[in-house]
């Protein structure tokens, strides 16, 4: 049994990783870094130079920026300098308005922004912003390892903050000694006092609202609306399954198209937060699970995703919906009445199916990948609850479910690095939007 200290450490970890975000987290992190550099400079910069890791570039090139009707890094950078507030974190552009967007477009047209790839860095999540004025003053802000983690801030020659980047396998929480395993995750979710877990219901409130709001507009590829229309229902049926797909993809449609709707993220990704939340919420509602069962299932889903991301890293060549959907499959299996062994079976089924899904950046079509992941989550849970699962004689799967998870993350964090480079090369040469 987990003791009070261990439970408190896990609660702290969840609260660190499950936070509200407005818009795609990669361009918002860049905007946050710009806002901090601007605040440090003390005035509107005459010029901004952004040096970014390949994974930040990949995930910020094709996604809508909330409240702007525009896509990509230039407007995120411009608005970070003009109206961004670092105190808002990943909601840095909360105060965006039409006048600010117009000023941001002018800032871009005046060629004040330079965006380049940061060469020869190990860190996949790296943002370096240099803001300068007409008088030769400059300020630097650097975010690394986590979307809101500043490691260096300078003004002219004065160093205001300097933290080394800490590399680790991230296999446990930041303090104390409470390493996560799937069994620990399951035990925490199913045995902790329910009042200690109530905070996770804010993820339900935010992401359910985003899903409902999305149906009021035509965002992205409108996958969620397509699934909920007569055509979609005629093909997919009017079922729990189709409702899960529609509700989840709707929220993703809106977020990737830049709708000014906050969502609850997981491990630095709004789509991961949506995928951990909405399938579990919809299934619980239609399966008539109790509020306590839903709360525990949401904890199980989100904490499973956090556990997997600890060894995978915040950004990788592996699509994050694989991780988040694995979490939701665990949550759904629990809501079906599943025990720990059956939850482990659902993880094995997910890894056997989706291990190779490539991340080719954040963009409206992420809704399609989210739907693929979530549909597999439901199928995996259905098999698991009947004690059917992919066995250790098949592919990546081993008898130990935690070794299965680390097989997945080894592939995503290390094995697919060349794939990641190839994806970025294709994206940047297809259309040079980084200049």
């Amino acid at each position: 049994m987990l003791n009070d200290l261990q439970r408190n450490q896990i609660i702290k970890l969840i609260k660190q990783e499950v936070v509200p975000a407005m818009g795609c987290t990669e361009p918002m992190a860049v905007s946050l870094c710009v806002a901090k550099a601007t605040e440090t400079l003390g005035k509107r910069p005459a010029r901004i130079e952004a040096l970014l890791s390949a994974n930040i570039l990949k995930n910020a090139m094709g996604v809508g920026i909330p409240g702007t009707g525009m896509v990509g890094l230039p407007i995120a950078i411009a608005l970070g300098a003009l109206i961004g507030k670092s105190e808002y974190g990943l909601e840095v552009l909360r105060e965006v308005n039409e006048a600010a967007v117009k000023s941001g477009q002018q800032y871009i047209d005046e060629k004040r922004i330079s965006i380049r790839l940061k060469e020869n860095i190990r860190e996949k999540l790296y943002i370096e912003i240099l803001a300068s004025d007409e008088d030769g003053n400059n300020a630097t802000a650097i975010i690394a390892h986590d979307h809101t983690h500043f490691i260096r801030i300078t003004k002219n020659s004065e160093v205001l903050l300097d933290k080394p980047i800490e590399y680790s396998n991230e296999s446990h929480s930041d303090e104390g000694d409470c390493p996560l395993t799937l069994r620990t995750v399951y035990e925490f979710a199913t045995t902790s006092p329910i009042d200690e877990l109530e905070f996770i219901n804010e993820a339900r409130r935010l992401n359910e609202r985003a899903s409902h709001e999305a149906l009021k507009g035509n965002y992205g590829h409108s996958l969620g609306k397509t699934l909920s229309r007569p055509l979609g229902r005629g093909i997919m049926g009017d079922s729990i399954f189709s409702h899960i797909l529609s509700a989840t993809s709707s929220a993703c449609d809106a977020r990737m198209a830049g709708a000014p709707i906050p969502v609850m993220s997981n491990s630095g990704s709004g789509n991961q937060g949506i995928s951990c939340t909405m399938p579990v919420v919809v299934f619980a509602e239609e399966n008539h699970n109790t509020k306590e069962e839903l709360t525990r299932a949401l904890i199980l889903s989100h904490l499973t995703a956090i556990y997997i991301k600890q060894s995978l890293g915040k950004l990788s060549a592996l699509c994050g919906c694989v991780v988040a959907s694995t979490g939701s499959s665990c949550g759904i299996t629990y809501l079906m009445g599943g025990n720990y062994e059956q939850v482990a079976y659902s993880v094995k089924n997910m890894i056997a199916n989706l291990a190779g899904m490539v991340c080719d950046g954040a963009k409206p079509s992420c809704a399609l990948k989210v739907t693929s992941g979530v549909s597999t989550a439901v199928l995996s849970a259905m098999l698991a609850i009947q004690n059917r699962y992919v066995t250790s004689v098949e592919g990546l799967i081993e008898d130990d479910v935690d070794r299965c998870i680390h097989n997945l993350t080894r592939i995503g964090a290390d094995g697919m690095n060349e794939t990641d480079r190839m994806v970025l090369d294709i994206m940047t040469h297809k259309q040079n939007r980084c200049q």
Side-chain angles (χ1 to χ4, degrees), residues 40 153-155 158-162:
T40 304
I153 300 172
T154 68
K155 183 173 182 180
E158 182 182 4
V159 178
L160 305 176
L161 175 71
D162 191 17

Side-chain angles (χ1 to χ4, degrees), residues 182 297 300-301 304 325-335 343 346-347:
L182 188 67
L300 178 58
S301 178
T304 298
S325 298
T326 299
S328 65
S329 189
C330 293
I332 291 171
T333 302
Y334 170 77
L335 291 172
V343 166
S346 73
V347 172

Side-chain angles (χ1 to χ4, degrees), residues 23 28 44 74 76 121 132 144 161 164-165 175 211 218 235 246 263 302 327 339 346 371 383 391 405 425 428 432:
M28 290 304 100
R44 169 178 161 170
I121 56 167
S132 56
L161 175 71
I165 301 177
E175 55 182 69
S211 180
N218 292 311
I235 295 173
S246 176
V263 301
H302 278 275
N339 56 29
S346 73
T371 303
L383 287 172
T391 67
I405 288 171
D425 182 70
T428 54
N432 191 357

Side-chain angles (χ1 to χ4, degrees), residues 15 25 58 64 68 117 120 133 220 245 249 257 283 377 383 432:
K15 289 183 176 181
T25 44
K58 181 180 73 172
T68 69
L117 177 67
N120 302 318
D133 66 16
L245 300 188
S249 57
F283 185 88
L383 287 172
N432 191 357

Side-chain angles (χ1 to χ4, degrees), residues 87 95 161 170 261 279 292 310 335 337 346 354 375 388 399 432:
E87 64 191 84
E95 296 179 1
L161 175 71
E170 302 182 305
I261 304 171
E292 177 176 337
Q310 284 183 326
L335 291 172
S346 73
L354 293 180
S375 64
R388 297 187 178 277
D399 291 327
N432 191 357

Side-chain angles (χ1 to χ4, degrees), residues 2-12 14-15 188 191-201 295-296 299:
L2 295 171
N3 59 40
D4 290 346
L5 176 60
Q6 291 171 324
R7 288 205 314 275
N8 288 336
Q9 290 167 352
I10 294 174
I11 289 170
K12 180 179 178 181
I14 298 172
K15 289 183 176 181
F188 174 82
T191 66
S192 295
I194 191 62
D195 61 302
E196 295 181 3
L197 309 180
E198 289 291 343
F199 68 90
I200 200 64
N201 287 301
T295 299
R296 295 189 183 281
I299 288 286

Side-chain angles (χ1 to χ4, degrees), residues 120-141:
N120 302 318
I121 56 167
R122 175 180 173 184
E123 189 62 43
K124 292 185 177 182
L125 197 166
Y126 183 91
I127 303 164
E128 181 178 339
I129 301 296
L130 175 63
S132 56
D133 66 16
E134 300 287 6
D135 300 321
N137 297 302
N138 63 77
T140 301

